[in-house]
Amino acid sequence: LGRRRLGLPPCPCPAQSSMSLIDHIVLFKWKPEATSAQIDRAMAALEGMVAKIDAIESLRVGPSITDRHNGWTHALVVRLRASNADEIMEGYSVHPAHLHVVENFLKGNAAKGVSGILADLTAVDISRPEVRSLPAAAAAVAEEAAFPVALAVSAALAGAVIGFVASRAFARQ
């Protein structure tokens, strides 16, 4: 889910070339007693974070589509944006909306009498440079491809013109 697709304003982070993107990837294993309804509620709660945490640029969550998961049946991929990587992870991991999901849907909170359905999780955070959007990247590729094509066409036209002029010159003789 992207902020734009949900009708939310873009990330309020300042637009500058030093922006950082972090892909936060989490894999989940559920307790054997976890029901599909509980897992569905947890997935919906995770999706709900996109409307509550400004640093989230996009979020995808769901079950594995293959049987290669080795028990890690569901995944969360969150793209976070801020002026630096530390700001992103600190703002996300301690955000009240994130803590609410962790305590009420995943790990549980014994003090509140909430039992969790999560058996285990593993997370990986990948820092990456800003990437161009697909339309901008396609335009750049088209520009780069157009120049050699224009040169080839120009050369072909020049050859045709020279050939035509030369044939007219020989025809007059």
Side-chain angles (χ1 to χ4, degrees), residues 93-127:
S93 61
V94 298
H95 192 282
H98 179 257
L99 295 175
H100 173 78
V101 172
V102 170
E103 290 181 1
N104 293 289
F105 295 94
L106 301 173
K107 292 184 178 179
N109 184 330
K112 293 181 181 177
V114 177
S115 61
I117 61 170
L118 188 65
D120 197 7
L121 69 79
T122 190
V124 177
D125 302 304
I126 303 169
S127 176

Side-chain angles (χ1 to χ4, degrees), residues 141-164:
V141 167
E143 281 179 31
E144 291 172 16
F147 185 70
V149 169
L151 285 177
V153 169
S154 296
L157 285 173
V161 169
I162 291 169
F164 177 75

